[in-house]
């Protein structure tokens, strides 16, 4: 069996740390580099439930997309969320590795996987990175034009279910062909030339003021529509690809957590929600498990 040190070397080859943003905190969070690794478990977020799952499965390493210790902490007491995660993993003999923006920018990173799942061709980064083909976000072209509403429905079908679903700013029947996207939080790219030249921009965690300004500018200049998705959902798609790559590189068993770490459990909508054509659709609720809210 390979050591953790060898698995870390494989992860570095797949997701080079020098591709991470300067503010990021990627790499080994806890664990003994000389320990043997037989099983690796992948998740978007290292939360207590996922830590318990990894230990119960006998995993020797948990790879999380989001860094647990991105910002400084003054305690890892088990009464805290981060302390609970670390204590569970350390006691269970499971190391923790973060692969964040260094896994976003590679040619098989989070945005590239989402673009592939949407069927985009002629892909290129929104902001190119240091290596050919790498960079933040992706721009591509649909094989055939579709309406904005159809693209939103396609996203709902591609992404794992969440309470927040998919929110859209733009005319339902507007034709779209060129799609810019950024898996995870991407409002920093709202002003990027590649985004402004697209027919629609798909990303997550959009705040009111940036989204409102983008919408109003688009209405004045026939700019792109805007689609807001679940941060967790867009990045969860990457885990299967990352698992296959890591298994091929190391020969160890690699599994993916199905635990939904999206923070929202259900949504309650107005009893008579407006349809895109102005008509009412009747009572509305969204629940990722299919139950009524």
């Amino acid at each position: 069996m390979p050591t953790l040190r060898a698995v870390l070397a494989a992860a570095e080859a797949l997701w080079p740390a020098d591709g991470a943003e300067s503010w990021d905190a990627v790499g080994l969070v806890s664990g003994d580099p000389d320990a043997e690794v037989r099983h690796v478990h992948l998740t978007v977020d290292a939360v207590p439930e996922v830590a318990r799952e990894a230990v119960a499965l006998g995993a020797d390493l948990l790879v999380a997309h989001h860094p647990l210790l991105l910002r400084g902490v003054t305690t890892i007491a088990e009464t805290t969320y981060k302390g609970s995660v670390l204590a569970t993993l350390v006691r269970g003999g499971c190391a923790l590795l973060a692969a964040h923006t260094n896994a976003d920018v590679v040619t098989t990173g989070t945005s590239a996987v989402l673009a592939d799942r949407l069927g985009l061709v002629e892909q290129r980064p929104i902001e190119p990175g240091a290596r050919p083909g790498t960079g933040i976000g992706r721009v591509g072209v649909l094989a055939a034009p579709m309406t904005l509403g159809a693209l939103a429905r396609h996203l709902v079908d591609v992404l794992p279910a969440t309470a927040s679903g998919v929110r859209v700013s733009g005319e339902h029947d507007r034709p779209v062909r060129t799609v810019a996207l950024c898996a995870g939080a991407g409002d920093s790219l709202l002003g990027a030339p590649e985004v402004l030249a697209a027919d629609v921009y798909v990303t997550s965690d959009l705040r009111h003021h940036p989204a409102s300004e983008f919408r109003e500018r688009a209405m004045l200049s026939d700019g792109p529509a805007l689609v807001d998705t679940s941060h967790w959902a867009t990045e969860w798609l990457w885990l299967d690809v990352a698992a296959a790559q890591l298994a091929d590189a190391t020969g160890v068993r690699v599994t993916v957590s199905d635990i939904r770490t999206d923070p929202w459990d259900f949504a309650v909508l107005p009893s008579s929600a407006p349809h895109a054509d102005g008509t009412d659709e009747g009572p509305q609720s969204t629940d990722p498990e299919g139950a009524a809210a």
Side-chain angles (χ1 to χ4, degrees), residues 105 138 146 149 151 197 228 246 253:
V105 300
R138 285 294 183 274
M146 63 175 63
L151 176 65
D228 187 30
L246 199 56
R253 180 188 178 204

Side-chain angles (χ1 to χ4, degrees), residues 1-13 28 30-38 40 60-61 95 97 246 249-250 252:
M1 286 296 113
T3 62
L4 176 56
R5 192 185 310 278
V7 175
L8 293 177
E12 172 65 20
L28 187 64
S30 64
D32 177 3
D34 293 323
E36 285 192 348
V37 174
R38 297 171 297 278
V40 179
D60 306 293
L61 171 64
L97 171 69
L246 199 56
T250 63
V252 303

Side-chain angles (χ1 to χ4, degrees), residues 17 83 105 123 128 132 142 168 170 173 180 183 196-197 211 232 246 283 289:
V105 300
Q123 292 183 31
L142 293 164
V168 183
D173 294 329
L196 296 176
W232 167 81
L246 199 56
E289 301 299 336

Side-chain angles (χ1 to χ4, degrees), residues 172 270-284:
H172 184 275
S271 60
S272 187
H275 192 271
D277 62 6
T279 61
D280 289 341
E281 292 185 326
Q284 298 288 307

